[in-house]
Amino acid sequence: MASALTIKHKMLNKRMSSFKNKIARYGFIIGALCILNAGCHSVNKTQRGAAIGAGTGGIVGAFIGKSAGNTALGAIIGGALGGTAGAFIGHTMDSQAAEIKQTVPGDTVTREGEGIIVKFDSGILFDVGKNDLRPEAQTNLQNLAVSLQKNAQTNILIIGHTDNSGVEANNNDLSMQRAGTVKSYLGMNGIDSTRLSTQGKGDTEPIADNNTIAGRSQNRRVEIVIVANDKLKNQAMQAGK
């Protein structure tokens, strides 16, 4: 009798484990699709952040972000905690995103999951083919630096992009140089260099059609990705207990 009960108990545990895994997978897929598909209007940004990572882990999230051809999105999904902790971080990011929208002109601020993407068309920051900041761009980045100082529990990834005009190697170099220029300027304005990292993607991640003038203009951009650092993540996990 004891043996039969033990077998039944093991079978029940196995079925429950399989059921929980399915829930985790479905929850992740729904969350990921909502992030990658802007059509999920009924799910807000913080809820999407809570959905991503709910039983999946950052490695899976980073893979999905990378497979979408979007380094900025991948950085956010890859570091997501999900669940209650993710929602806590999402609310913190909501406040900072609203502040940046009000204080930094000429940018596009996108709240996604547990992070923020601040996008500048490269023409706002740089002259064509150059990596020296335009005078008016310096004011924009100074205002952004003020917000980053006030919200110190974050890490910042700066990603440079170009269109597909010219030689690929030159595009890669220019995108990296521009990301480096932005990093240096933020550092000069009080942002700890340990919070800052850069990537240059050249023309490999277009967001518009490179066959049109308007599309190429959109593809020439600098993205600044703001995500929680370890201190904020630990705070979020404690708050979620």
Short mmCIF file of all heavy atoms in Angstrom, two decimals, residues 7 17-18 21-22 26 30 37 47 52 55 61 73 85 103 111 123 144 151 178 182-183 199 203 205-206 217 232:
data_model
loop_
_atom_site.label_atom_id
_atom_site.label_comp_id
_atom_site.label_asym_id
_atom_site.label_seq_id
_atom_site.Cartn_x
_atom_site.Cartn_y
_atom_site.Cartn_z
N ILE A 7 4.11 5.94 -5.28
CA ILE A 7 4.10 6.08 -6.75
C ILE A 7 3.09 7.12 -7.18
O ILE A 7 3.36 7.97 -8.04
CB ILE A 7 3.81 4.72 -7.40
CG1 ILE A 7 4.97 3.76 -7.15
CG2 ILE A 7 3.57 4.89 -8.89
CD1 ILE A 7 4.71 2.34 -7.61
N SER A 17 4.41 19.70 -11.58
CA SER A 17 5.61 20.38 -12.08
C SER A 17 5.47 20.71 -13.56
O SER A 17 5.81 21.80 -14.01
CB SER A 17 6.83 19.49 -11.86
OG SER A 17 7.99 20.09 -12.39
N SER A 18 4.94 19.75 -14.32
CA SER A 18 4.73 19.98 -15.76
C SER A 18 3.73 21.10 -15.98
O SER A 18 3.91 21.95 -16.86
CB SER A 18 4.23 18.69 -16.42
OG SER A 18 3.94 18.91 -17.78
N ASN A 21 5.34 24.46 -15.27
CA ASN A 21 6.25 24.84 -16.35
C ASN A 21 5.50 25.38 -17.54
O ASN A 21 5.93 26.33 -18.20
CB ASN A 21 7.10 23.63 -16.77
CG ASN A 21 8.15 23.28 -15.75
OD1 ASN A 21 8.54 24.12 -14.95
ND2 ASN A 21 8.61 22.03 -15.77
N LYS A 22 4.33 24.75 -17.84
CA LYS A 22 3.52 25.23 -18.95
C LYS A 22 3.01 26.64 -18.68
O LYS A 22 3.00 27.50 -19.55
CB LYS A 22 2.35 24.28 -19.20
CG LYS A 22 2.75 22.97 -19.85
CD LYS A 22 1.54 22.08 -20.07
CE LYS A 22 1.95 20.76 -20.71
NZ LYS A 22 0.78 19.87 -20.92
N TYR A 26 3.81 29.79 -21.03
CA TYR A 26 2.76 30.57 -21.66
C TYR A 26 2.78 32.01 -21.18
O TYR A 26 2.57 32.95 -21.95
CB TYR A 26 1.39 29.94 -21.37
CG TYR A 26 1.19 28.60 -22.03
CD1 TYR A 26 0.37 27.64 -21.45
CD2 TYR A 26 1.83 28.27 -23.23
CE1 TYR A 26 0.18 26.40 -22.04
CE2 TYR A 26 1.64 27.05 -23.82
CZ TYR A 26 0.82 26.12 -23.22
OH TYR A 26 0.64 24.89 -23.81
N ILE A 30 3.33 35.16 -23.74
CA ILE A 30 2.37 36.26 -23.83
C ILE A 30 3.05 37.59 -23.54
O ILE A 30 2.87 38.57 -24.25
CB ILE A 30 1.19 36.04 -22.86
CG1 ILE A 30 0.34 34.84 -23.32
CG2 ILE A 30 0.32 37.29 -22.75
CD1 ILE A 30 -0.69 34.40 -22.31
N ASN A 37 5.19 43.19 -29.85
CA ASN A 37 4.07 43.57 -30.70
C ASN A 37 3.31 44.70 -30.04
O ASN A 37 2.67 44.53 -29.02
CB ASN A 37 3.15 42.35 -30.90
CG ASN A 37 1.95 42.69 -31.78
OD1 ASN A 37 1.83 43.81 -32.28
ND2 ASN A 37 1.07 41.72 -31.97
N GLN A 47 2.99 46.22 -16.57
CA GLN A 47 2.47 44.86 -16.60
C GLN A 47 3.30 43.98 -17.53
O GLN A 47 3.54 42.81 -17.25
CB GLN A 47 1.01 44.86 -17.05
CG GLN A 47 0.07 45.44 -15.99
CD GLN A 47 -1.32 45.67 -16.53
OE1 GLN A 47 -1.51 45.90 -17.72
NE2 GLN A 47 -2.31 45.61 -15.66
N ILE A 52 7.39 39.51 -18.34
CA ILE A 52 8.66 38.99 -18.82
C ILE A 52 9.47 38.47 -17.64
O ILE A 52 9.62 39.11 -16.62
CB ILE A 52 9.44 40.09 -19.55
CG1 ILE A 52 8.79 40.35 -20.91
CG2 ILE A 52 10.89 39.71 -19.75
CD1 ILE A 52 8.87 39.19 -21.85
N GLY A 55 9.42 33.22 -14.43
CA GLY A 55 9.74 31.80 -14.48
C GLY A 55 10.63 31.43 -15.64
O GLY A 55 10.77 30.26 -15.96
N GLY A 61 15.29 35.82 -22.06
CA GLY A 61 14.87 37.14 -22.47
C GLY A 61 15.88 37.80 -23.39
O GLY A 61 15.52 38.41 -24.39
N LEU A 73 16.14 46.68 -26.89
CA LEU A 73 15.09 45.86 -26.29
C LEU A 73 15.68 44.64 -25.61
O LEU A 73 15.24 44.23 -24.53
CB LEU A 73 14.09 45.43 -27.36
CG LEU A 73 12.89 44.60 -26.89
CD1 LEU A 73 12.08 45.34 -25.85
CD2 LEU A 73 12.01 44.22 -28.07
N ALA A 85 8.62 42.00 -8.35
CA ALA A 85 9.84 42.81 -8.38
C ALA A 85 9.92 43.61 -9.68
O ALA A 85 10.30 44.79 -9.67
CB ALA A 85 11.06 41.91 -8.24
N THR A 103 11.75 67.27 -19.50
CA THR A 103 12.96 68.10 -19.34
C THR A 103 13.97 67.99 -20.48
O THR A 103 14.88 68.81 -20.57
CB THR A 103 13.68 67.74 -18.02
OG1 THR A 103 14.05 66.35 -18.04
CG2 THR A 103 12.77 68.01 -16.83
N ARG A 111 8.89 53.79 -22.76
CA ARG A 111 8.89 52.91 -21.58
C ARG A 111 8.56 51.50 -22.03
O ARG A 111 7.55 51.28 -22.67
CB ARG A 111 7.83 53.40 -20.58
CG ARG A 111 8.37 54.30 -19.52
CD ARG A 111 9.21 53.58 -18.47
NE ARG A 111 8.38 52.68 -17.65
CZ ARG A 111 8.53 51.37 -17.66
NH1 ARG A 111 9.42 50.79 -18.42
NH2 ARG A 111 7.74 50.62 -16.89
N GLY A 123 20.98 63.45 -36.19
CA GLY A 123 21.05 64.82 -36.67
C GLY A 123 20.86 65.85 -35.56
O GLY A 123 21.30 66.99 -35.68
N LEU A 144 19.49 65.53 -19.55
CA LEU A 144 19.37 64.09 -19.32
C LEU A 144 20.25 63.68 -18.15
O LEU A 144 19.85 62.86 -17.31
CB LEU A 144 19.75 63.32 -20.57
CG LEU A 144 19.72 61.79 -20.46
CD1 LEU A 144 18.31 61.30 -20.12
CD2 LEU A 144 20.20 61.15 -21.76
N ASN A 151 18.32 59.75 -10.37
CA ASN A 151 17.90 58.35 -10.35
C ASN A 151 19.15 57.48 -10.50
O ASN A 151 19.42 56.90 -11.54
CB ASN A 151 16.91 58.08 -11.50
CG ASN A 151 15.65 58.91 -11.38
OD1 ASN A 151 14.70 58.54 -10.72
ND2 ASN A 151 15.64 60.08 -12.03
N ARG A 178 30.31 57.79 -31.93
CA ARG A 178 29.23 58.65 -31.45
C ARG A 178 28.73 58.19 -30.08
O ARG A 178 28.45 59.00 -29.20
CB ARG A 178 28.09 58.68 -32.47
CG ARG A 178 28.43 59.50 -33.70
CD ARG A 178 27.33 59.49 -34.74
NE ARG A 178 27.54 60.52 -35.75
CZ ARG A 178 26.76 60.71 -36.80
NH1 ARG A 178 25.71 59.91 -36.99
NH2 ARG A 178 27.02 61.68 -37.66
N VAL A 182 28.87 60.47 -26.53
CA VAL A 182 27.77 60.67 -25.59
C VAL A 182 28.16 60.19 -24.20
O VAL A 182 27.90 60.86 -23.19
CB VAL A 182 26.50 59.94 -26.08
CG1 VAL A 182 25.39 60.00 -25.02
CG2 VAL A 182 26.00 60.56 -27.39
N LYS A 183 28.81 59.04 -24.13
CA LYS A 183 29.27 58.52 -22.84
C LYS A 183 30.21 59.51 -22.16
O LYS A 183 30.07 59.81 -20.96
CB LYS A 183 29.97 57.18 -23.02
CG LYS A 183 30.59 56.63 -21.73
CD LYS A 183 31.38 55.35 -21.98
CE LYS A 183 32.05 54.88 -20.68
NZ LYS A 183 32.84 53.63 -20.89
N GLN A 199 27.85 50.61 -27.18
CA GLN A 199 27.92 49.68 -28.30
C GLN A 199 27.73 50.46 -29.58
O GLN A 199 26.97 51.44 -29.62
CB GLN A 199 26.85 48.58 -28.21
CG GLN A 199 27.08 47.56 -27.12
CD GLN A 199 26.15 46.37 -27.25
OE1 GLN A 199 25.81 45.94 -28.35
NE2 GLN A 199 25.75 45.82 -26.12
N ASP A 203 25.00 49.78 -39.28
CA ASP A 203 23.72 49.78 -39.99
C ASP A 203 22.96 48.47 -39.81
O ASP A 203 22.07 48.14 -40.60
CB ASP A 203 23.91 50.07 -41.48
CG ASP A 203 24.83 49.04 -42.16
OD1 ASP A 203 25.11 47.99 -41.55
OD2 ASP A 203 25.26 49.30 -43.29
N GLU A 205 20.91 47.37 -37.43
CA GLU A 205 19.60 47.34 -36.76
C GLU A 205 18.71 48.49 -37.22
O GLU A 205 18.34 49.37 -36.45
CB GLU A 205 19.78 47.38 -35.24
CG GLU A 205 20.46 46.14 -34.69
CD GLU A 205 20.55 46.13 -33.17
OE1 GLU A 205 20.08 47.10 -32.53
OE2 GLU A 205 21.07 45.16 -32.62
N PRO A 206 18.33 48.48 -38.49
CA PRO A 206 17.46 49.56 -38.98
C PRO A 206 16.07 49.47 -38.37
O PRO A 206 15.58 48.38 -38.08
CB PRO A 206 17.41 49.30 -40.50
CG PRO A 206 17.67 47.83 -40.63
CD PRO A 206 18.64 47.48 -39.53
N SER A 217 17.06 58.58 -42.37
CA SER A 217 17.14 59.57 -41.30
C SER A 217 16.76 58.96 -39.96
O SER A 217 17.39 59.24 -38.93
CB SER A 217 16.23 60.76 -41.62
OG SER A 217 16.25 61.70 -40.58
N LEU A 232 18.99 48.45 -7.09
CA LEU A 232 17.55 48.61 -7.29
C LEU A 232 16.87 47.26 -7.42
O LEU A 232 15.76 47.06 -6.92
CB LEU A 232 17.28 49.47 -8.52
CG LEU A 232 15.81 49.72 -8.88
CD1 LEU A 232 15.04 50.31 -7.70
CD2 LEU A 232 15.70 50.64 -10.11
#
